[in-house]
Amino acid sequence: MEDETVASDEDIKNPLVNQKSDNNTTWFTSGRILLLLILAALVIRIAASLARPMIMLDEVSYARLAQNLANGLGLLDVTGHTSTYFSPLYPLIIAALGLVAGDYVFAGYAVSVLFGSLMLIPVYLLGREMAGVRVGLLAAALLTVLPLAVDLGSTLYSESVYVFFLLMAIFFAWNLLNQQRFRCGVFTGVSLGFAYLANPGAVFYVIAIVVLAIAVALRRHRWRRLAGSTAVFLFVFMVIAAPYMLFLHHELGRWTYSGKYVDSNVSTSSKNLRLESPEWERDLLSLTDDNHEVIQNTLGSSTDLSAFLLKQPKMAARVFVQQAFYLYSKALPDVLPLWLLPLLGLGLFSRGWNRRRAVRVGYLALMMVPLVLILFMYATPRFFIPFVAIALIWVAEGWQRLQEWGGETVALCFGEANAEKWRRAIFISLAIAVLMPLLIFSAVTVAKRGYHPGLREAGEWLEGYAGKDTRIMNRESSSAFYSGGIPVFLPYAEYDRVNEYAHYQNVDYMVITRQGLVDNRPELAKRLLDAGGGHFEWKLVHTVRPGTPEETLIYEFEK
C-alpha cells in the first residue's frame, strides 16, 4: 500500500490529513491513517470476540469442517457427511491456522478478526478511486465501527473473508476496465476466485465484469487490449474456481457453481417465517410420516435460484415483496443504522452528476445488484454486508459534504482568517457524532446476541461422562461440538413420535434448555417435565446451571 499525501483542494482543508508541522513535513499520510484505523478495527473486533462465550449454529459447522480438513478427512461437517453447503476457503484458512494454534475455535476467531479488519483496505481503495482520498479514509473509519461489520468480524462466519476478496476484486476490476492491463486481469481473477471459494455468489461478478468489458470496448474501440486483459482475468479465475466446481460435480452428480441448497430458504420465505422462531420450527422441524427424518432435510437439493424464479414467478414475486417489507420495517437498522441514511442521500445527491460522476456511481450500483437476489430468498442482515461496505462510500461523501458545509458557513460568519480553528472543531464534532453512536451500537449488538452457555457446559460434561462420537439430539449442534459428538436435529413432534425418530437415528442423548423445552417443544415438555415420570425412555442424568435461566437438561435415551 503506497503512502500518499493529500493533494486536492478539499483535502487541504481536512484537519485529519495533511497537517503541517513547523518544518513543513506531513504528520499523517493517508497510509498511516489507514493503518491506525486497521489497528483500531483489530482492537474492537478482538474485544468483541472475547465477549463471545461459545460458538453456535453455522459457526459450529465451520469449526468442525476446519478440524476435519486439518485431520485429512476432507470437507466433513458436524454430521460426519461431506458438505457442499459450506464453501471451502474459510474453513481451509482456519484449518491452516488451527494446525499451528492447536485450537480451531480460536483459529476461526483469529481469521474473522483479521479479515474483518483488513476489509478496511479495499473500502479505502474504492472510496479513494471513486471520490478521493478523504472519502476513502472516512469510509474506512465508518467500517471500523459499523455494528454489522464488528459483529461478523468477531464470529465464526465466512463473510469477512468473502467481503475482503470481493471488494478487492471490485477495485481491481475497475482498474482493469480503465487501464486494461494484464496485471489488473490477474489481480481481479485471483481476488474473485478466492471470493468464489468463500461464497459462490461471487459468480455474478464474473458476468458483470465481462459485460462491462464488452460495453467499454464498444464505446472506446479498444478491443484487442481489453479482450486480452479480460481473457487473463477469466483464465485466472477458472484456474482457482475449477477444482471446487469439479468437487461439486463429483458430489452432486451435476454441473453447478454452488452447493448451497435454496429449498429451505425459499420454503421459509414463501411462508413468511423467521429462522429459529417457534413457527419455523413447527413447520420445518416436524417429522415425516414415517418418523425417520425432519421435514427440512427432505425439501430437495436445488442449488439454482434461477430455476425457482422461472418456474414459480408468482411465488417469487410474493417472496420478494415479503422480504423487502421485512428488510424495510424490521431488519434495516441491523443492516445500516438509520441515522446514516441522511448522509447517504447527501453523498449521492447534494451535487449534480457529470458523466464522470455518473459512471462511478453506476459502477458501484451495478456491483450491488445481487442485493435484489437476496430478497427472493431470505433477508438475513449478514447477507447484506458486501453492499453495506460499498454504500459506506456514499455515506462518507455525505459526511464530507456536511463538513464542507460547516466550513463554508463559519467562513461566511466569522471570516476566512478565523475559519481554520472552527473547521477543526467541526471535524472533531462530526467525527464524534457519526462514529461514537456506531461504536455504542456495536457494543449493544454484540451484547444482545443470544447465547446459551449451558449448552456448551453440557457438551463438555458429556465428553467426560460418555466420551466422544455419541449421537446428541439438540435444537442446534453446539453441545455435540463441545462433546466431540454427532448432532441430530431435535424434531417438533409428540413424545412417542420423537422416540421412534430417536430409535431410527440411533440417538444416545438429548440436550435442551428448560426454557427452550417449554417454549419450543411443548408436546415433549408435558412428558419430560412431568414430576410423576411417564418418560421411561429418557433418563435425566445431569442438569447444568440448575435454577437459572440457562438451566440445561441432559437426558440419556434408554434404547
Side-chain angles (χ1 to χ4, degrees):
M1 183 166 43
E2 184 178 354
D3 275 0
E4 54 182 64
T5 57
V6 181
S8 70
D9 292 338
E10 292 177 351
D11 291 328
I12 290 174
K13 298 177 182 179
N14 185 3
L16 179 62
V17 183
N18 208 35
Q19 290 185 0
K20 302 287 183 175
S21 64
D22 292 338
N23 60 1
N24 205 38
T25 59
T26 302
W27 286 8
F28 293 109
T29 63
S30 59
R32 289 172 185 164
I33 295 171
L34 180 61
L35 179 59
L36 289 174
L37 290 172
I38 292 172
L39 292 175
L42 275 170
V43 170
I44 292 169
R45 284 151 180 77
I46 289 172
S49 66
L50 292 174
R52 314 285 188 186
M54 59 183 290
I55 61 173
M56 58 185 187
L57 303 174
D58 286 356
E59 295 177 288
V60 170
S61 297
Y62 282 121
R64 184 59 64 83
L65 281 167
Q67 187 176 18
N68 288 332
L69 283 168
N71 291 334
L73 301 176
L75 281 171
L76 299 184
D77 61 15
V78 289
T79 66
H81 298 101
T82 299
S83 173
T84 61
Y85 184 84
F86 296 98
S87 299
L89 182 62
Y90 183 60
L92 275 170
I93 300 174
I94 295 174
L97 183 58
L99 285 172
V100 177
D103 186 330
Y104 295 96
V105 174
F106 168 80
Y109 280 124
V111 171
S112 292
V113 166
L114 177 61
F115 280 91
S117 303
L118 292 179
M119 276 169 55
L120 272 64
I121 295 174
V123 167
Y124 162 74
L125 292 173
L126 274 170
R128 184 191 68 181
E129 200 70 27
M130 299 297 157
V133 171
R134 193 164 103 189
V135 167
L137 290 173
L138 294 178
L142 288 164
L143 189 62
T144 300
V145 292
L146 184 76
L148 184 60
V150 172
D151 188 38
L152 293 175
S154 57
T155 53
L156 269 69
Y157 284 97
S158 63
E159 273 72 17
S160 294
V161 172
Y162 169 60
V163 175
F164 170 78
F165 284 112
L166 177 63
L167 294 180
M168 290 301 300
I170 292 173
F171 168 73
F172 287 128
W174 173 262
N175 286 282
L176 166 67
L177 296 170
N178 285 279
Q179 300 176 13
Q180 302 166 14
R181 295 179 179 176
F182 284 178
R183 67 180 182 183
C184 293
V186 172
F187 293 149
T188 306
V190 170
S191 299
L192 200 55
F194 284 135
Y196 167 74
L197 294 182
N199 188 321
V203 163
F204 165 82
Y205 295 91
V206 178
I207 300 170
I209 292 168
V210 171
V211 169
L212 285 174
I214 294 172
V216 170
L218 288 172
R219 178 173 178 79
R220 297 183 182 178
H221 305 290
R222 296 179 180 176
W223 281 99
R224 181 175 300 177
R225 189 172 179 180
L226 188 54
S229 54
T230 304
V232 169
F233 151 63
L234 290 172
F235 174 78
V236 173
F237 173 82
M238 287 306 302
V239 166
I240 296 173
Y244 184 57
M245 291 181 179
L246 290 171
F247 166 79
L248 292 176
H249 180 266
H250 178 266
E251 293 297 325
L252 300 176
R254 62 181 184 274
W255 289 109
T256 180
Y257 68 92
S258 173
K260 291 183 179 291
Y261 300 141
V262 301
D263 304 88
S264 177
N265 281 340
V266 167
S267 176
T268 299
S269 300
S270 64
K271 299 171 184 176
N272 205 21
L273 303 175
R274 305 317 304 171
L275 283 175
E276 311 301 325
S277 68
E279 296 78 15
W280 177 84
E281 296 204 21
R282 187 163 50 245
D283 187 83
L284 289 183
L285 296 186
S286 59
L287 287 171
T288 55
D289 292 339
D290 59 6
N291 298 325
H292 289 174
E293 191 57 85
V294 295
I295 296 294
Q296 180 176 252
N297 291 341
T298 64
L299 289 177
S301 58
S302 173
T303 60
D304 188 2
L305 178 62
S306 62
F308 165 64
L309 299 179
L310 294 173
K311 291 179 181 178
Q312 303 183 62
K314 291 183 179 180
M315 181 182 290
R318 187 182 60 175
V319 168
F320 180 86
V321 172
Q322 289 173 343
Q323 296 304 304
F325 179 76
Y326 174 77
L327 174 64
Y328 171 77
S329 61
K330 295 183 179 180
L332 186 57
D334 294 328
V335 175
L336 184 68
L338 299 181
W339 63 86
L340 295 182
L341 293 179
L343 291 179
L344 189 150
L346 191 63
L348 278 172
F349 305 117
S350 63
R351 294 192 178 104
W353 294 3
N354 56 21
R355 180 177 296 178
R356 181 178 182 273
R357 169 71 169 159
V359 166
R360 281 160 170 74
V361 171
Y363 178 75
L364 293 182
L366 179 62
M367 297 299 108
M368 296 176 71
V369 166
L371 181 154
V372 177
L373 298 178
I374 294 174
L375 298 178
F376 285 108
M377 290 192 299
Y378 194 76
T380 299
R382 67 187 176 95
F383 295 164
F384 294 93
I385 182 62
F387 318 114
V388 174
I390 293 174
L392 288 183
I393 294 171
W394 296 327
V395 175
E397 289 189 77
W399 180 358
Q400 174 183 262
R401 182 66 188 119
L402 191 59
Q403 183 181 324
E404 291 168 358
W405 172 84
E408 293 166 3
T409 300
V410 297
L412 292 172
C413 293
F414 301 104
E416 189 63 42
N418 299 317
E420 187 58 36
K421 62 178 181 180
W422 287 103
R423 288 195 181 100
R424 183 174 287 106
I426 290 170
F427 173 79
I428 294 172
S429 300
L430 274 177
I432 293 173
V434 172
L435 299 179
M436 189 56 66
L438 292 175
L439 184 59
I440 295 172
F441 192 20
S442 292
V444 171
T445 300
V446 172
K448 77 176 184 180
R449 183 183 280 266
Y451 288 100
H452 298 286
L455 295 176
R456 171 178 178 168
E457 294 170 21
E460 293 169 342
W461 183 86
L462 271 173
E463 183 180 11
Y465 177 78
K468 297 179 182 294
D469 299 325
T470 53
R471 295 179 66 82
I472 300 173
M473 193 162 64
N474 193 203
R475 289 179 60 236
E476 59 106 354
S477 53
S478 54
S479 294
F481 174 81
Y482 284 106
S483 71
I486 300 169
V488 178
F489 274 123
L490 174 58
Y492 192 106
E494 295 82 7
Y495 180 83
D496 292 335
R497 296 188 69 195
V498 170
N499 289 343
E500 185 175 342
Y501 168 80
H503 271 293
Y504 183 80
Q505 295 288 342
N506 198 28
V507 169
D508 298 304
Y509 295 91
M510 174 170 57
V511 178
I512 189 169
T513 64
R514 177 180 286 272
Q515 195 63 49
L517 183 60
V518 172
D519 292 343
N520 297 289
R521 297 295 185 274
E523 292 86 355
L524 206 56
K526 292 176 185 177
R527 298 284 291 272
L528 292 179
L529 299 181
D530 180 6
H535 50 87
F536 305 108
E537 295 86 354
W538 296 97
K539 176 184 176 183
L540 182 65
V541 293
H542 189 64
T543 301
V544 175
R545 299 195 174 197
T548 70
E550 293 82 27
E551 180 176 341
T552 303
L553 309 173
I554 305 175
Y555 291 92
E556 184 174 1
F557 189 45
E558 302 287 344
K559 302 178 183 178

